[in-house]
Amino acid sequence: MFDQERARLLLAAHGALLGEVFPSLSVVNVSWGERWIKFWFFLSNAPSEDDLESMSIVEAEMLAQYPDREVMSEFYVDAPRGRGAVCIFARKNR
């Protein structure tokens, strides 16, 4: 069955990434519950100040769409991709 809330959240998460994808960003996963939304950013190297700002903007964009939920994120450098979340961005290997 089609879950409209799931689709709405994934579209909002994807939209929050627009203009905020930076070169070292490899994968973004998202998961959620009734009161929270969490992003996992997987990077190929340590983030710059601009990269940290981009991740903060993604959180702020989601908070604007879901003001009743806690929005949080974590980032990992050269870590295995998390399980149990939905991948909303994956950089294609060249």
Side-chain angles (χ1 to χ4, degrees):
M1 181 176 188
F2 182 74
D3 183 350
Q4 289 185 342
E5 180 59 23
R6 180 179 192 269
R8 180 177 175 267
L9 190 136
L10 291 174
L11 285 171
H14 190 264
L17 283 174
L18 292 177
E20 302 306 328
V21 173
F22 45 91
S24 67
L25 185 61
S26 301
V27 173
V28 179
N29 289 348
V30 64
S31 64
W32 61 91
E34 287 185 29
R35 298 178 189 250
W36 57 272
I37 299 168
K38 186 168 186 177
F39 288 93
W40 283 273
F41 297 96
F42 295 89
L43 289 65
S44 59
N45 52 47
S48 68
E49 287 298 319
D50 288 342
D51 299 343
L52 293 171
E53 178 69 17
S54 287
M55 290 184 276
S56 177
I57 289 170
V58 170
E59 284 185 43
E61 291 289 331
M62 283 303 285
L63 190 56
Q65 294 290 319
Y66 291 91
D68 58 332
R69 295 189 189 188
E70 180 183 3
V71 178
M72 61 197 116
S73 67
E74 293 181 13
F75 72 87
Y76 299 93
V77 178
D78 288 331
R81 298 175 186 168
R83 302 272 186 232
V86 177
C87 180
I88 59 170
F89 172 81
R91 187 170 303 279
K92 184 177 179 181
N93 293 331
R94 297 178 199 171

